[in-house]
Amino acid sequence: MQNLIDPAILFFLVGIFAGAVKSNLEIPPSIAKFLSMYLLMALGLKGGFAMARSGMTDTAAIALGAAIFMAFLVPALGYAFLRNRIAKFDAAAVAAAYGSVSAVTFVTATQFLEASNMQPGGYMAVAMVVMESPAIIMAVLMANVLRHQSSSNVVVSAGGTLALGGVGSGNDPSVGKILKESFTDGAHLLLLGAMAVGYISGEAGRTMMQPFSGDLFKGMLAFFLLDMGLMVARNFADARKSSPVLIAYAAVGPLVHAGLALLLGAMLGMSAADVAILMVLSASASYIVVPAVLRYAIPEANPSLYFGLSLGITFPLNILVGIPLYAYVAKTVLG
């Protein structure tokens, strides 16, 4: 209940309501982009300052290893579950979206945990970055296997996207190109750059940047979540048109993924705050970077499925219910 009376979350609900009633309320795209850049920069600085205090320890290495493991496990499980229930190219794309992460969910979770006196390590911001690429790589590899296995010259996905059997085989992005685009993506580059600045400047930098990265953060997050609420309302209709299997996966799958992250974190002896963030990352789904890559990497898949499900169902569930639930479970189980 504490999450629902948080001003930032209330503004998220205001955005959903405004979108649902067809209000003309909107955040100009340029302002929305600035808010996104601000949040990533502020988050990167916070992570860098925290890492400057603690350093790259064994604890950090274990947390990053756990993050990479979950980044491969989640899309593998998702594809195994979906491949015989929907078109296989759609299954690969949806699995990639859910195997990747949502930066906005991560930012909101970090703010919530700090307000709840649970302080995750600054290295968890690095964990978010490294969890982006494995799911995309796996999805592209699965799609290539499907193209080679196809016995027909024409493939039609469940969403009606038409592609010749060989389409993509000559233009398939290499693993190196995918990694390069993932890590040089503007959002990731800004986050990593801000972390480097925070790490190098240390405590002196934290003191100087406190008005920017600390005092303004909550208000900017509220403004950004207002815009996200409007986006959720616009994409909810597409999500509702999905099959019951996909809707159930979008709602229940993240809980399963979070449970696996909890089990892994407990086995590795991670702190409750770090495990809570790992659960959030494992339960989130990408609706920005991954959809942009998948549009040309897997043209046979239906974009409205992997974009609509992640933004219309999973994102609001994680923001409103998932984050406080994961934090509570991690704290109860791990102390």
Side-chain angles (χ1 to χ4, degrees):
M1 193 64 189
Q2 177 186 349
N3 205 36
L4 293 178
I5 60 175
D6 184 297
I9 302 303
L10 291 176
F11 273 108
F12 176 68
L13 294 175
V14 169
I16 292 178
F17 176 77
V21 299
K22 310 293 185 185
S23 169
N24 63 353
L25 174 65
E26 66 173 343
I27 308 298
S30 58
I31 293 180
K33 184 176 181 179
F34 165 76
L35 291 170
S36 176
M37 292 175 66
Y38 165 81
L39 291 173
L40 288 169
M41 182 182 289
L43 182 67
L45 285 171
K46 287 184 177 183
F49 297 145
M51 287 190 68
R53 288 195 301 268
S54 64
M56 181 56 74
T57 62
D58 291 342
T59 301
I62 290 173
L64 294 177
I68 294 172
F69 178 80
M70 290 302 302
F72 282 104
L73 178 63
V74 170
L77 293 177
Y79 182 71
F81 175 77
L82 294 171
R83 63 180 180 178
N84 294 323
R85 293 173 170 83
I86 61 175
K88 287 183 170 59
F89 284 109
D90 288 332
V94 171
Y98 279 80
S100 193
V101 295
S102 161
V104 180
T105 307
F106 176 78
V107 171
T108 308
T110 301
Q111 181 69 23
F112 176 84
L113 290 175
E114 290 177 353
S116 304
N117 296 317
M118 295 176 68
Q119 186 65 52
Y123 43 80
M124 294 309 294
V126 181
M128 184 196 74
V129 175
V130 300
M131 288 183 75
E132 188 81 65
S133 299
I136 302 175
I137 294 171
M138 289 185 66
V140 171
L141 291 177
M142 287 185 287
N144 287 340
V145 170
L146 290 173
R147 292 184 187 112
H148 287 299
Q149 290 179 342
S150 177
S151 58
S152 172
N153 287 328
V154 177
V155 178
V156 181
S157 77
T161 304
L162 179 67
L164 296 180
V167 167
S169 58
N171 298 309
D172 290 336
S174 66
V175 171
K177 183 177 180 181
I178 293 170
L179 284 172
K180 180 179 181 296
E181 292 192 359
S182 295
F183 282 92
T184 58
D185 173 75
H188 282 168
L189 197 59
L190 178 60
L191 179 65
L192 291 172
M195 287 191 67
V197 170
Y199 183 79
I200 294 169
S201 60
E203 189 62 24
R206 189 192 70 80
T207 302
M208 286 186 286
M209 297 299 289
Q210 175 60 27
F212 174 82
S213 60
D215 298 341
L216 288 177
F217 189 84
K218 190 69 174 183
M220 292 291 199
L221 178 60
F223 208 169
F224 188 70
L225 286 179
L226 171 66
D227 184 51
M228 293 307 304
L230 292 168
M231 288 186 63
V232 166
R234 288 195 293 266
N235 286 275
F236 186 66
D238 286 338
R240 287 194 306 171
K241 296 175 184 176
S242 302
S243 70
V245 170
L246 282 174
I247 292 175
Y249 178 77
V252 179
L255 296 176
V256 176
H257 304 157
L260 293 171
L262 173 65
L263 179 61
L264 178 62
M267 290 172 58
L268 295 175
M270 294 171 60
S271 70
D274 286 356
V275 169
I277 287 292
L278 183 64
M279 293 172 73
V280 168
L281 291 172
S282 301
S284 67
S286 175
Y287 52 84
I288 298 176
V289 177
V290 171
V293 173
L294 293 182
R295 278 183 178 273
Y296 72 83
I298 312 181
E300 300 92 339
N302 180 7
S304 67
L305 289 182
Y306 51 82
F307 184 79
L309 288 170
S310 61
L311 187 56
I313 297 177
T314 304
F315 177 75
L317 284 178
N318 274 330
I319 294 293
L320 298 175
V321 181
I323 291 173
L325 175 62
Y326 307 145
Y328 172 78
V329 171
K331 192 171 185 178
T332 299
V333 173
L334 302 174

